[in-house]
Amino acid sequence: GAVVSQHPSWVICKSGTSVKIECRSLDFQATTMFWYRQFPKQSLMLMATSNEGSKATYEQGVEKDKFLINHASLTLSTLTVTSAHPEDSSFYICSAPGTGAYNEQFFGPGTRLTVL
Amino acid sequence: DAKTTQPTSMDCAEGRAANLPCNHSTISGNEYVYWYRQIHSQGPQYIIHGLKNNETNEMASLIITEDRKSSTLILPHATLRDTAVYYCIVRVGYNYGQNFVFGPGTRLSVLP
C-alpha cells in the first residue's frame, strides 16, 4: 500500500521555540493531507486539513497562527508549532487519502512532541 | 457520517479468534465500514473495509449484518502483536477531501 512518512519521529524542545514537522506521501500524490493530534489515552482529533496550493482549513478551537500549515507540493505538507508550550506536547499524526475507489486514508507513523 | 459504538476494551487469549463488535445503527446506504488499528505510539493502520458483503484479507475478516446496523471484525488467530486500539469508522467511500473521524475505539489486549 501507499506510504506516508513523518519527520522527525520525536522532538524535544524548549518552551517558546518553534518546531516543524514534515509529512510526505512517498509513492503517491496528495492534494489534501490531514493533521491530527492525540493526547495520552485519547483518540485522534483532527486539527486541520492541508490543501496544496491554498490555505489550510482549521477545526474549531485550533489556532491557525500557532499551528502553521504549508502544503508546499503534491507530496509534502508541514506543520509548524510556533512558540510551543508544554500543553502543546502531544502525538501529531498526518494522513493522506488514497486515490483508489474507496479513498482509504494512509497514516504517517506520528511525531511525538515534548515541550519542556 | 454515521456514529459508531464499540466496547471500551476486550481481552483475548493468544491463538484464539478475536471478535470485535461495532454498532452503526444510523449508517446510510452509501457509507462504508472501515476498520483501523493503532498500536501504541504508532500511526493508525488500515485493516479492512466493506459495504454490504463480508470481506476477508490477510489480516482479518469483516462480517456485516444484513441490515448493516452492526459489524464484527475478526482476527482469526490473535497474537501478542495484535494488542492495539481498534477503530470502527463509518463514512462515505467516494470522498477524497474528507477526513476520518475517530471515536474512542476498542482497546484489545491479547494475553499469553
Side-chain angles (χ1 to χ4, degrees), chain A residues 64-77:
Chain A
K64 63 180 181 180
D65 294 331
K66 180 171 182 62
F67 299 98
L68 302 180
I69 290 174
N70 182 25
H71 202 130
S73 73
L74 290 174
T75 59
L76 173 64
S77 174

Side-chain angles (χ1 to χ4, degrees), chain A residues 30-32 34 36 38 43-44 46 91 97 101-105 107-109 112, chain B residues 32 34 36 38 41-44 49 87 93-100 102-103:
Chain A
T31 56
T32 297
F34 302 100
Y36 297 82
Q38 186 175 33
S43 189
L44 285 77
L46 180 69
F91 193 50
Y102 304 105
N103 296 146
E104 66 265 38
Q105 295 278 321
F107 288 84
R112 174 79 57 192
Chain B
Y32 288 74
Y34 291 82
Y36 279 77
Q38 186 179 25
S41 292
Q42 297 183 23
H49 74 279
Y87 298 100
Y94 301 93
N95 195 340
Y96 180 84
Q98 185 179 17
N99 65 294
F100 276 58
F102 288 82

Side-chain angles (χ1 to χ4, degrees), chain B residues 3-5 20-27 33 35 50-54 62-73 88 90:
Chain B
K3 185 177 178 180
T4 62
T5 304
L20 292 89
C22 179
N23 286 324
H24 32 79
S25 59
T26 59
I27 191 171
V33 180
W35 282 85
L51 181 63
K52 296 180 187 178
N53 301 321
N54 298 337
L62 174 60
I63 308 299
I64 303 174
T65 58
E66 192 170 343
D67 62 7
R68 302 209 320 125
K69 293 185 177 182
S70 66
S71 60
T72 301
L73 177 74
C88 169
V90 172

